[in-house]
Structure formats: C-alpha cells, structure tokens
Amino acid sequence: MRVSRRVVFAVAGSIMAASALTACGGGSTAKGNADGVLKVGMPNGPQTDNNNPFLSSSAGASLGYRRMIFEPLTMWNSAKPADKAKPWLATDWSWSADYKTLNLTTRDNVKWSDGQAFSADDVAYTFNLLKSTPALNNNGIKFGDITASGTNKLTVTFPTPQFVNQVKILSDIPIVAKHQWSSISDPATDPVKQPVGTGPYTLKSFTPQTVTLDVRDSYWQDLPKVKEIQYTSYTDNNAQTTALATGACEWSFVFIPNYKAVYTSKDPAHYQIYFPPSLGVHGLWFNTTKAPYDDPTLRQAISMVINRDDIFNQGEAGYFYPAVTSPTGIPTPAGESFIAPDYKGQTVKVDVAGAKAKLTAAGYTYDGNTLKDKTGKPVTLNLSDPAGWSDYQTDLEIIKDNVSKIGITATVDKANQDTWTKDIDTGTFDSAMHWTDSGATPYQMFASIMDGALYKPVGTPGVNGNYGRFQNQQATDALNTYVNATDDATRATALNQIQKIMVEQQPMIPTSAANVGGEYSTKNWVGWPSTSDEYAPGQPTLINAEDIVLHLRPAS
C-alpha cells in the first residue's frame, strides 16, 4: 500500500481548553463509558457524506468507519505480516500451486445489517463488480472466471500468479451486498448513503464533523462491548492532538512531534502510543539518472554516514517511523524472517572513515575537506521535500550534516508541495525523502524501489514507484521470478538476489520503517494491541480496526 503523507504541523506546547473543541461529543459533555461510547478521531477536516467502501476519498475511508460496516474475507495483521490471516467472512481458502486459482468457503449464518442472508454469491458479485469497474479496482487485480456454487463455495481464477496479491484479494476487498449494489446505477461514484454491511455496526448519523455508528442487534460473532462509536474529523494535527490530550478523543493516528510533553504526560497511566513497523520504508531517494548519483559507490558511501538513530529520535520524535537497521532495508522485527542468510544479524553503523576509503578507492579525491567526483568536480547534493513536512525536513537537515563529514556540500530545499510533487513525478530532482509501498512480504517494497516495469524516462510523468528511475535488469528479472514462482524455494532465492542488489547498488537509502500505529487511551477501554500483544496494527483506519473494537472491554 502506498503510504499517504499529510502535512505535519508543529504542536503547541500548551493544550487548548476542551470547551474550545468541536470534539467527539464535546469533551466533558460527551457520553461517558457507562453508555459504551468509543471516541475516535482523525485530523482530516470536514467530510462529505460518502460511504462507498471502495473509494479512498470517501468519509468512510478517511475516518475509518467503513471497516466497522463492511468486512473482508480474512483479517490479516500487518504488524506481524508473516502470520496467517484470521478467518473472517471466509472460513477456509486455498490456492493452486501456481497461484492462479483460489477456492473459498464462506461463513454460514451471517446476516447483512438489513437482515438478508450473506452467501458466496455476494463475494462473487463483489469480485465481478471490481472486474467490470476499474475505478473501484484499486489494486488492479486481474480477475478471470468467478464461480459460486451452493451458498458457501466460490472458485476464482486469475490469468497470472497472485502470490504477491493474496492479502489484497483476501483482506483488502470489502465485501458488499449483491441485493443492494446490483440496483446502484453507477457504483464508481455512488455515495451509498444507506450502507448495508455484515459488520457489527450500522450508520446512525452523519455531519461533516462527526459520524456516529450504532451496534447491531445481532452479529455473527459476539456483539462488541462498544455500543456506539463517534468518529470526529478534526481540522488539523494540532486540534487532533489537543483532543487526545484532553480525553475528548480516545483513539487516533496523528504525528505528534513532542508527544511526551503534549500527550502522554497528561495522563501517563492511560495515554499510550503503539507504532509497530510494517514492511515498507521511508528514506533518501536519488535521481539515479543524474551524475554523480548514478554511481552506486557514492550512494553506498552516503548510506554509511547517515545517522539513522538521529533521524528516528529527532526527525521522527523517537516513535513515529522506527529506524531501519538491516543493510537490506527490510524493517525488523516485522521482516526478520525474510532477510537473506548473507545479511542475517548485520546492522548498519555510521562509518565515516570507511566511507572515505570506499570513495577514494573508487577514484574520488579530496581537495582539503571537499569531495571531488571522478571528473574533478566538487560533489554537491540538493535535498528536497515540502516545507510543511516537518519530520522529513528535520531528517534532511540531519543528512546534510552527515554528508558534510565526507566532504559533500548539501543544501536543503523547503519546496512548495505542488512543485516538489511535479519534480518527483518527472524525475527533475537530486534527492528527496520519500516512501515505498508495503505489503505482506518485502516484494512490494523492493518493487517500488527497483522494478524496471515502473521506470519512466526523465520528463515523463505518471510514476507510481521507482521514483529514482533506477534501471537494473537483474533486479527486474529477480522481481519477476518472485512474482511467478510456484514454490517457496524459488521465491526465497529470488528475494535473496534482490537483497544483494539492494545492498550493492543502494538505489535508495532506507532510514525508517513505515508504521501501522496509533494513539489510544486505556482510561475507559482496555484490550488494545500493544508491543506485548501485537494482535493487530494500531491505526483506526485499517481493516484491523474492527478486530480491535471487538477486543475492547470497559476498563471498569
């Protein structure tokens, strides 16, 4: 999944009075825990009444409440990506050896929220809907034949192997009711004002600021203890942080630069942060078509002097994006099982002397403290990211200082966001902090860094990965082998080769792991995931949000 960036705002040291908020029920005037209310918030501004579960622009997606209404076939845990998914609307599933055929058994005795019975025919309808409506097929899954038999059996074929898309098919697609959606004239744009789902909640009310869900009278699992969920959309990160700190909101996902001072210290016994890494990274991307950044030796040397601990503790506030320590770039512990034997146990360390030795051995020279490339020109580096992305801007200042130790003069460009986006899209940049895709294996991460299929020449817009315009046929071939392999051994061999290319070519420098975390309060509700019980990621907008709510119980 591509990680979306939000502008990161500096959080004021003082907390505004709760009465100043248009909060989840208005702070002290909100319903208490005695009424079984959970207060969720996101810093996404006023919302439009749209509950279409396939649209990332909908209020249901922005605030996360679509997860409580519409359910997936399986519940996959991105905090522990190697674990088998939990059965959800599907009780059993199996793939053919070539991952071109999927056989499903759907759960019996499930009712839609309007009382009609759920069956395999609803799943078949959902898959056919995506097949026939590209605007809703967000992951671009190429479906073949889709055949339901009886009430609970389904067979789906695909023209190509789907090993790398298993999670996208089984856990990322919300299943919708055929009896409702078959009468919708334009599913790609319909706001679905009265959503019907199999989840434990129904939509009670909607305003641009607050959406309220009520628990159903019956559900195929035990009914949750949370009887009502109030979702509030705050104007920005400051307002969201204030709501968390005053208790007006109990669960969110927001970057808080000085989280100890403005959040957790306000109620250390109850205010918690939980930010496990996922299998995606953030880091320094180079325009590998531009000299001298087209030289892997220079990229390796820069990697050797970047202080990832400083980036984590200063740029990412010591919690938000965990440091990446494996030379392969694979985040740990989430990706530990995927690391190649040649790199097991290895960690990156700052090594200025080693970086200088590597450069001079490759033909670089020094004029005093200034590094000169193989043509005799001083090496300079423009580091660019939007001015409002304060964590990335701090990261770049740290990198600027780090590379000065090997004689590189760097400048930090606090870019206009639109200009920066265009520069990344067309390849007219030197270097920038950016993110990768993530998934159930490191494949998605590496593909977004090195896949030649995503390459576009400088000046050609429309990139969706390979932002550094990296070209290496061996990497592309190994990625293709991984995708099309029919056995684990072949996939492991291909992934090991991909890691070797990553280490030796260093097309980008991973510094931080993507996270799947959140902030929450245990004052009213307990049972949250934590570092000691990572049964789910912590974000209230991910599929696992439903699983989290089902785990919650009153604190007293």
Side-chain angles (χ1 to χ4, degrees), residues 6-31:
R6 299 188 312 277
V7 175
V8 181
F9 298 89
V11 177
S14 61
I15 299 297
M16 297 183 296
S19 60
L21 293 171
T22 305
C24 303
S28 60
T29 62
K31 291 184 178 180

mmCIF file with all atom_site columns, all heavy atoms in Angstrom, residues 6-31:
data_model
loop_
_atom_site.group_PDB
_atom_site.id
_atom_site.type_symbol
_atom_site.label_atom_id
_atom_site.label_alt_id
_atom_site.label_comp_id
_atom_site.label_asym_id
_atom_site.label_entity_id
_atom_site.label_seq_id
_atom_site.pdbx_PDB_ins_code
_atom_site.Cartn_x
_atom_site.Cartn_y
_atom_site.Cartn_z
_atom_site.occupancy
_atom_site.B_iso_or_equiv
_atom_site.pdbx_formal_charge
_atom_site.auth_seq_id
_atom_site.auth_comp_id
_atom_site.auth_asym_id
_atom_site.auth_atom_id
_atom_site.pdbx_PDB_model_num
ATOM 1   N N   . ARG A 1 6  ? 0.694   13.338 5.095  1.00 0.00 ? 6  ARG A N   1
ATOM 2   C CA  . ARG A 1 6  ? -0.069  14.501 5.491  1.00 0.00 ? 6  ARG A CA  1
ATOM 3   C C   . ARG A 1 6  ? 0.906   15.573 5.908  1.00 0.00 ? 6  ARG A C   1
ATOM 4   O O   . ARG A 1 6  ? 2.000   15.302 6.396  1.00 0.00 ? 6  ARG A O   1
ATOM 5   C CB  . ARG A 1 6  ? -0.997  14.199 6.679  1.00 0.00 ? 6  ARG A CB  1
ATOM 6   C CG  . ARG A 1 6  ? -2.026  13.155 6.420  1.00 0.00 ? 6  ARG A CG  1
ATOM 7   C CD  . ARG A 1 6  ? -2.989  13.084 7.596  1.00 0.00 ? 6  ARG A CD  1
ATOM 8   N NE  . ARG A 1 6  ? -2.287  13.040 8.860  1.00 0.00 ? 6  ARG A NE  1
ATOM 9   C CZ  . ARG A 1 6  ? -1.801  11.930 9.382  1.00 0.00 ? 6  ARG A CZ  1
ATOM 10  N NH1 . ARG A 1 6  ? -1.908  10.800 8.732  1.00 0.00 ? 6  ARG A NH1 1
ATOM 11  N NH2 . ARG A 1 6  ? -1.194  11.955 10.553 1.00 0.00 ? 6  ARG A NH2 1
ATOM 12  N N   . VAL A 1 7  ? 0.525   16.815 5.749  1.00 0.00 ? 7  VAL A N   1
ATOM 13  C CA  . VAL A 1 7  ? 1.349   17.891 6.268  1.00 0.00 ? 7  VAL A CA  1
ATOM 14  C C   . VAL A 1 7  ? 1.447   17.719 7.769  1.00 0.00 ? 7  VAL A C   1
ATOM 15  O O   . VAL A 1 7  ? 0.459   17.499 8.453  1.00 0.00 ? 7  VAL A O   1
ATOM 16  C CB  . VAL A 1 7  ? 0.731   19.266 5.933  1.00 0.00 ? 7  VAL A CB  1
ATOM 17  C CG1 . VAL A 1 7  ? 1.519   20.379 6.581  1.00 0.00 ? 7  VAL A CG1 1
ATOM 18  C CG2 . VAL A 1 7  ? 0.690   19.464 4.422  1.00 0.00 ? 7  VAL A CG2 1
ATOM 19  N N   . VAL A 1 8  ? 2.666   17.790 8.296  1.00 0.00 ? 8  VAL A N   1
ATOM 20  C CA  . VAL A 1 8  ? 2.897   17.591 9.720  1.00 0.00 ? 8  VAL A CA  1
ATOM 21  C C   . VAL A 1 8  ? 3.003   18.945 10.392 1.00 0.00 ? 8  VAL A C   1
ATOM 22  O O   . VAL A 1 8  ? 3.855   19.754 10.040 1.00 0.00 ? 8  VAL A O   1
ATOM 23  C CB  . VAL A 1 8  ? 4.178   16.777 9.953  1.00 0.00 ? 8  VAL A CB  1
ATOM 24  C CG1 . VAL A 1 8  ? 4.390   16.550 11.425 1.00 0.00 ? 8  VAL A CG1 1
ATOM 25  C CG2 . VAL A 1 8  ? 4.076   15.439 9.232  1.00 0.00 ? 8  VAL A CG2 1
ATOM 26  N N   . PHE A 1 9  ? 2.146   19.220 11.330 1.00 0.00 ? 9  PHE A N   1
ATOM 27  C CA  . PHE A 1 9  ? 2.103   20.522 11.977 1.00 0.00 ? 9  PHE A CA  1
ATOM 28  C C   . PHE A 1 9  ? 2.839   20.473 13.307 1.00 0.00 ? 9  PHE A C   1
ATOM 29  O O   . PHE A 1 9  ? 2.810   19.483 14.023 1.00 0.00 ? 9  PHE A O   1
ATOM 30  C CB  . PHE A 1 9  ? 0.651   20.943 12.240 1.00 0.00 ? 9  PHE A CB  1
ATOM 31  C CG  . PHE A 1 9  ? -0.164  21.106 11.005 1.00 0.00 ? 9  PHE A CG  1
ATOM 32  C CD1 . PHE A 1 9  ? -0.856  20.021 10.478 1.00 0.00 ? 9  PHE A CD1 1
ATOM 33  C CD2 . PHE A 1 9  ? -0.237  22.317 10.360 1.00 0.00 ? 9  PHE A CD2 1
ATOM 34  C CE1 . PHE A 1 9  ? -1.605  20.158 9.342  1.00 0.00 ? 9  PHE A CE1 1
ATOM 35  C CE2 . PHE A 1 9  ? -0.994  22.458 9.228  1.00 0.00 ? 9  PHE A CE2 1
ATOM 36  C CZ  . PHE A 1 9  ? -1.682  21.382 8.717  1.00 0.00 ? 9  PHE A CZ  1
ATOM 37  N N   . ALA A 1 10 ? 3.487   21.552 13.663 1.00 0.00 ? 10 ALA A N   1
ATOM 38  C CA  . ALA A 1 10 ? 4.092   21.681 14.982 1.00 0.00 ? 10 ALA A CA  1
ATOM 39  C C   . ALA A 1 10 ? 2.969   21.776 15.997 1.00 0.00 ? 10 ALA A C   1
ATOM 40  O O   . ALA A 1 10 ? 1.980   22.473 15.801 1.00 0.00 ? 10 ALA A O   1
ATOM 41  C CB  . ALA A 1 10 ? 4.959   22.937 15.048 1.00 0.00 ? 10 ALA A CB  1
ATOM 42  N N   . VAL A 1 11 ? 3.125   21.043 17.088 1.00 0.00 ? 11 VAL A N   1
ATOM 43  C CA  . VAL A 1 11 ? 2.074   21.018 18.099 1.00 0.00 ? 11 VAL A CA  1
ATOM 44  C C   . VAL A 1 11 ? 2.437   21.986 19.212 1.00 0.00 ? 11 VAL A C   1
ATOM 45  O O   . VAL A 1 11 ? 3.536   21.951 19.752 1.00 0.00 ? 11 VAL A O   1
ATOM 46  C CB  . VAL A 1 11 ? 1.894   19.599 18.669 1.00 0.00 ? 11 VAL A CB  1
ATOM 47  C CG1 . VAL A 1 11 ? 0.855   19.603 19.782 1.00 0.00 ? 11 VAL A CG1 1
ATOM 48  C CG2 . VAL A 1 11 ? 1.470   18.663 17.563 1.00 0.00 ? 11 VAL A CG2 1
ATOM 49  N N   . ALA A 1 12 ? 1.543   22.870 19.530 1.00 0.00 ? 12 ALA A N   1
ATOM 50  C CA  . ALA A 1 12 ? 1.800   23.872 20.552 1.00 0.00 ? 12 ALA A CA  1
ATOM 51  C C   . ALA A 1 12 ? 2.038   23.202 21.888 1.00 0.00 ? 12 ALA A C   1
ATOM 52  O O   . ALA A 1 12 ? 1.455   22.177 22.213 1.00 0.00 ? 12 ALA A O   1
ATOM 53  C CB  . ALA A 1 12 ? 0.612   24.824 20.661 1.00 0.00 ? 12 ALA A CB  1
ATOM 54  N N   . GLY A 1 13 ? 2.898   23.842 22.707 1.00 0.00 ? 13 GLY A N   1
ATOM 55  C CA  . GLY A 1 13 ? 3.224   23.264 23.996 1.00 0.00 ? 13 GLY A CA  1
ATOM 56  C C   . GLY A 1 13 ? 2.064   23.288 24.965 1.00 0.00 ? 13 GLY A C   1
ATOM 57  O O   . GLY A 1 13 ? 1.949   22.449 25.845 1.00 0.00 ? 13 GLY A O   1
ATOM 58  N N   . SER A 1 14 ? 1.199   24.271 24.847 1.00 0.00 ? 14 SER A N   1
ATOM 59  C CA  . SER A 1 14 ? 0.041   24.344 25.733 1.00 0.00 ? 14 SER A CA  1
ATOM 60  C C   . SER A 1 14 ? -1.161  23.689 25.089 1.00 0.00 ? 14 SER A C   1
ATOM 61  O O   . SER A 1 14 ? -1.286  23.654 23.872 1.00 0.00 ? 14 SER A O   1
ATOM 62  C CB  . SER A 1 14 ? -0.280  25.806 26.050 1.00 0.00 ? 14 SER A CB  1
ATOM 63  O OG  . SER A 1 14 ? -0.588  26.500 24.864 1.00 0.00 ? 14 SER A OG  1
ATOM 64  N N   . ILE A 1 15 ? -2.053  23.170 25.881 1.00 0.00 ? 15 ILE A N   1
ATOM 65  C CA  . ILE A 1 15 ? -3.248  22.487 25.401 1.00 0.00 ? 15 ILE A CA  1
ATOM 66  C C   . ILE A 1 15 ? -4.439  23.420 25.536 1.00 0.00 ? 15 ILE A C   1
ATOM 67  O O   . ILE A 1 15 ? -4.682  23.998 26.595 1.00 0.00 ? 15 ILE A O   1
ATOM 68  C CB  . ILE A 1 15 ? -3.488  21.196 26.205 1.00 0.00 ? 15 ILE A CB  1
ATOM 69  C CG1 . ILE A 1 15 ? -2.303  20.260 26.025 1.00 0.00 ? 15 ILE A CG1 1
ATOM 70  C CG2 . ILE A 1 15 ? -4.780  20.540 25.808 1.00 0.00 ? 15 ILE A CG2 1
ATOM 71  C CD1 . ILE A 1 15 ? -2.098  19.808 24.604 1.00 0.00 ? 15 ILE A CD1 1
ATOM 72  N N   . MET A 1 16 ? -5.186  23.586 24.449 1.00 0.00 ? 16 MET A N   1
ATOM 73  C CA  . MET A 1 16 ? -6.357  24.451 24.476 1.00 0.00 ? 16 MET A CA  1
ATOM 74  C C   . MET A 1 16 ? -7.424  23.857 25.387 1.00 0.00 ? 16 MET A C   1
ATOM 75  O O   . MET A 1 16 ? -7.486  22.658 25.599 1.00 0.00 ? 16 MET A O   1
ATOM 76  C CB  . MET A 1 16 ? -6.936  24.605 23.064 1.00 0.00 ? 16 MET A CB  1
ATOM 77  C CG  . MET A 1 16 ? -5.986  25.274 22.096 1.00 0.00 ? 16 MET A CG  1
ATOM 78  S SD  . MET A 1 16 ? -6.754  25.487 20.486 1.00 0.00 ? 16 MET A SD  1
ATOM 79  C CE  . MET A 1 16 ? -6.987  23.777 19.997 1.00 0.00 ? 16 MET A CE  1
ATOM 80  N N   . ALA A 1 17 ? -8.263  24.684 25.880 1.00 0.00 ? 17 ALA A N   1
ATOM 81  C CA  . ALA A 1 17 ? -9.362  24.218 26.733 1.00 0.00 ? 17 ALA A CA  1
ATOM 82  C C   . ALA A 1 17 ? -10.286 23.316 25.956 1.00 0.00 ? 17 ALA A C   1
ATOM 83  O O   . ALA A 1 17 ? -10.555 23.549 24.786 1.00 0.00 ? 17 ALA A O   1
ATOM 84  C CB  . ALA A 1 17 ? -10.140 25.422 27.266 1.00 0.00 ? 17 ALA A CB  1
ATOM 85  N N   . ALA A 1 18 ? -10.770 22.277 26.618 1.00 0.00 ? 18 ALA A N   1
ATOM 86  C CA  . ALA A 1 18 ? -11.642 21.326 25.933 1.00 0.00 ? 18 ALA A CA  1
ATOM 87  C C   . ALA A 1 18 ? -12.906 21.991 25.419 1.00 0.00 ? 18 ALA A C   1
ATOM 88  O O   . ALA A 1 18 ? -13.483 21.579 24.419 1.00 0.00 ? 18 ALA A O   1
ATOM 89  C CB  . ALA A 1 18 ? -12.020 20.187 26.884 1.00 0.00 ? 18 ALA A CB  1
ATOM 90  N N   . SER A 1 19 ? -13.340 23.067 26.081 1.00 0.00 ? 19 SER A N   1
ATOM 91  C CA  . SER A 1 19 ? -14.558 23.740 25.638 1.00 0.00 ? 19 SER A CA  1
ATOM 92  C C   . SER A 1 19 ? -14.397 24.388 24.288 1.00 0.00 ? 19 SER A C   1
ATOM 93  O O   . SER A 1 19 ? -15.381 24.738 23.630 1.00 0.00 ? 19 SER A O   1
ATOM 94  C CB  . SER A 1 19 ? -14.970 24.797 26.662 1.00 0.00 ? 19 SER A CB  1
ATOM 95  O OG  . SER A 1 19 ? -13.946 25.765 26.807 1.00 0.00 ? 19 SER A OG  1
ATOM 96  N N   . ALA A 1 20 ? -13.140 24.597 23.835 1.00 0.00 ? 20 ALA A N   1
ATOM 97  C CA  . ALA A 1 20 ? -12.902 25.229 22.542 1.00 0.00 ? 20 ALA A CA  1
ATOM 98  C C   . ALA A 1 20 ? -13.029 24.261 21.393 1.00 0.00 ? 20 ALA A C   1
ATOM 99  O O   . ALA A 1 20 ? -12.968 24.648 20.240 1.00 0.00 ? 20 ALA A O   1
ATOM 100 C CB  . ALA A 1 20 ? -11.515 25.877 22.518 1.00 0.00 ? 20 ALA A CB  1
ATOM 101 N N   . LEU A 1 21 ? -13.198 23.002 21.717 1.00 0.00 ? 21 LEU A N   1
ATOM 102 C CA  . LEU A 1 21 ? -13.210 21.985 20.664 1.00 0.00 ? 21 LEU A CA  1
ATOM 103 C C   . LEU A 1 21 ? -14.613 21.695 20.169 1.00 0.00 ? 21 LEU A C   1
ATOM 104 O O   . LEU A 1 21 ? -15.577 21.724 20.915 1.00 0.00 ? 21 LEU A O   1
ATOM 105 C CB  . LEU A 1 21 ? -12.635 20.665 21.214 1.00 0.00 ? 21 LEU A CB  1
ATOM 106 C CG  . LEU A 1 21 ? -11.161 20.661 21.588 1.00 0.00 ? 21 LEU A CG  1
ATOM 107 C CD1 . LEU A 1 21 ? -10.846 19.351 22.300 1.00 0.00 ? 21 LEU A CD1 1
ATOM 108 C CD2 . LEU A 1 21 ? -10.304 20.815 20.351 1.00 0.00 ? 21 LEU A CD2 1
ATOM 109 N N   . THR A 1 22 ? -14.692 21.377 18.877 1.00 0.00 ? 22 THR A N   1
ATOM 110 C CA  . THR A 1 22 ? -15.873 20.686 18.366 1.00 0.00 ? 22 THR A CA  1
ATOM 111 C C   . THR A 1 22 ? -15.476 19.222 18.379 1.00 0.00 ? 22 THR A C   1
ATOM 112 O O   . THR A 1 22 ? -15.062 18.662 17.383 1.00 0.00 ? 22 THR A O   1
ATOM 113 C CB  . THR A 1 22 ? -16.224 21.147 16.949 1.00 0.00 ? 22 THR A CB  1
ATOM 114 O OG1 . THR A 1 22 ? -16.378 22.553 16.963 1.00 0.00 ? 22 THR A OG1 1
ATOM 115 C CG2 . THR A 1 22 ? -17.496 20.488 16.470 1.00 0.00 ? 22 THR A CG2 1
ATOM 116 N N   . ALA A 1 23 ? -15.553 18.605 19.545 1.00 0.00 ? 23 ALA A N   1
ATOM 117 C CA  . ALA A 1 23 ? -14.893 17.332 19.774 1.00 0.00 ? 23 ALA A CA  1
ATOM 118 C C   . ALA A 1 23 ? -15.854 16.183 19.623 1.00 0.00 ? 23 ALA A C   1
ATOM 119 O O   . ALA A 1 23 ? -17.002 16.339 19.265 1.00 0.00 ? 23 ALA A O   1
ATOM 120 C CB  . ALA A 1 23 ? -14.282 17.321 21.186 1.00 0.00 ? 23 ALA A CB  1
ATOM 121 N N   . CYS A 1 24 ? -15.331 14.979 19.919 1.00 0.00 ? 24 CYS A N   1
ATOM 122 C CA  . CYS A 1 24 ? -16.155 13.774 19.856 1.00 0.00 ? 24 CYS A CA  1
ATOM 123 C C   . CYS A 1 24 ? -17.201 13.869 20.962 1.00 0.00 ? 24 CYS A C   1
ATOM 124 O O   . CYS A 1 24 ? -17.056 13.285 22.029 1.00 0.00 ? 24 CYS A O   1
ATOM 125 C CB  . CYS A 1 24 ? -15.297 12.533 20.056 1.00 0.00 ? 24 CYS A CB  1
ATOM 126 S SG  . CYS A 1 24 ? -13.947 12.345 18.923 1.00 0.00 ? 24 CYS A SG  1
ATOM 127 N N   . GLY A 1 25 ? -18.231 14.629 20.734 1.00 0.00 ? 25 GLY A N   1
ATOM 128 C CA  . GLY A 1 25 ? -19.260 14.804 21.745 1.00 0.00 ? 25 GLY A CA  1
ATOM 129 C C   . GLY A 1 25 ? -18.995 15.986 22.654 1.00 0.00 ? 25 GLY A C   1
ATOM 130 O O   . GLY A 1 25 ? -19.750 16.252 23.567 1.00 0.00 ? 25 GLY A O   1
ATOM 131 N N   . GLY A 1 26 ? -17.867 16.725 22.445 1.00 0.00 ? 26 GLY A N   1
ATOM 132 C CA  . GLY A 1 26 ? -17.656 17.951 23.192 1.00 0.00 ? 26 GLY A CA  1
ATOM 133 C C   . GLY A 1 26 ? -16.985 17.780 24.524 1.00 0.00 ? 26 GLY A C   1
ATOM 134 O O   . GLY A 1 26 ? -17.307 18.463 25.489 1.00 0.00 ? 26 GLY A O   1
ATOM 135 N N   . GLY A 1 27 ? -15.977 16.905 24.634 1.00 0.00 ? 27 GLY A N   1
ATOM 136 C CA  . GLY A 1 27 ? -15.183 16.797 25.840 1.00 0.00 ? 27 GLY A CA  1
ATOM 137 C C   . GLY A 1 27 ? -16.010 16.327 27.019 1.00 0.00 ? 27 GLY A C   1
ATOM 138 O O   . GLY A 1 27 ? -16.594 15.258 27.013 1.00 0.00 ? 27 GLY A O   1
ATOM 139 N N   . SER A 1 28 ? -16.100 17.204 28.064 1.00 0.00 ? 28 SER A N   1
ATOM 140 C CA  . SER A 1 28 ? -16.755 16.789 29.293 1.00 0.00 ? 28 SER A CA  1
ATOM 141 C C   . SER A 1 28 ? -18.248 16.554 29.135 1.00 0.00 ? 28 SER A C   1
ATOM 142 O O   . SER A 1 28 ? -18.880 15.918 29.969 1.00 0.00 ? 28 SER A O   1
ATOM 143 C CB  . SER A 1 28 ? -16.532 17.858 30.376 1.00 0.00 ? 28 SER A CB  1
ATOM 144 O OG  . SER A 1 28 ? -17.081 19.092 29.957 1.00 0.00 ? 28 SER A OG  1
ATOM 145 N N   . THR A 1 29 ? -18.845 17.083 28.053 1.00 0.00 ? 29 THR A N   1
ATOM 146 C CA  . THR A 1 29 ? -20.265 16.874 27.848 1.00 0.00 ? 29 THR A CA  1
ATOM 147 C C   . THR A 1 29 ? -20.565 15.624 27.045 1.00 0.00 ? 29 THR A C   1
ATOM 148 O O   . THR A 1 29 ? -21.705 15.294 26.789 1.00 0.00 ? 29 THR A O   1
ATOM 149 C CB  . THR A 1 29 ? -20.884 18.081 27.123 1.00 0.00 ? 29 THR A CB  1
ATOM 150 O OG1 . THR A 1 29 ? -20.271 18.209 25.836 1.00 0.00 ? 29 THR A OG1 1
ATOM 151 C CG2 . THR A 1 29 ? -20.677 19.362 27.906 1.00 0.00 ? 29 THR A CG2 1
ATOM 152 N N   . ALA A 1 30 ? -19.519 14.892 26.614 1.00 0.00 ? 30 ALA A N   1
ATOM 153 C CA  . ALA A 1 30 ? -19.718 13.691 25.810 1.00 0.00 ? 30 ALA A CA  1
ATOM 154 C C   . ALA A 1 30 ? -20.298 12.572 26.662 1.00 0.00 ? 30 ALA A C   1
ATOM 155 O O   . ALA A 1 30 ? -20.210 12.568 27.881 1.00 0.00 ? 30 ALA A O   1
ATOM 156 C CB  . ALA A 1 30 ? -18.397 13.246 25.190 1.00 0.00 ? 30 ALA A CB  1
ATOM 157 N N   . LYS A 1 31 ? -20.897 11.604 25.987 1.00 0.00 ? 31 LYS A N   1
ATOM 158 C CA  . LYS A 1 31 ? -21.363 10.427 26.702 1.00 0.00 ? 31 LYS A CA  1
ATOM 159 C C   . LYS A 1 31 ? -20.184 9.733  27.358 1.00 0.00 ? 31 LYS A C   1
ATOM 160 O O   . LYS A 1 31 ? -19.105 9.649  26.791 1.00 0.00 ? 31 LYS A O   1
ATOM 161 C CB  . LYS A 1 31 ? -22.046 9.460  25.732 1.00 0.00 ? 31 LYS A CB  1
ATOM 162 C CG  . LYS A 1 31 ? -23.366 9.960  25.172 1.00 0.00 ? 31 LYS A CG  1
ATOM 163 C CD  . LYS A 1 31 ? -24.008 8.884  24.303 1.00 0.00 ? 31 LYS A CD  1
ATOM 164 C CE  . LYS A 1 31 ? -25.339 9.312  23.761 1.00 0.00 ? 31 LYS A CE  1
ATOM 165 N NZ  . LYS A 1 31 ? -25.970 8.274  22.928 1.00 0.00 ? 31 LYS A NZ  1
#
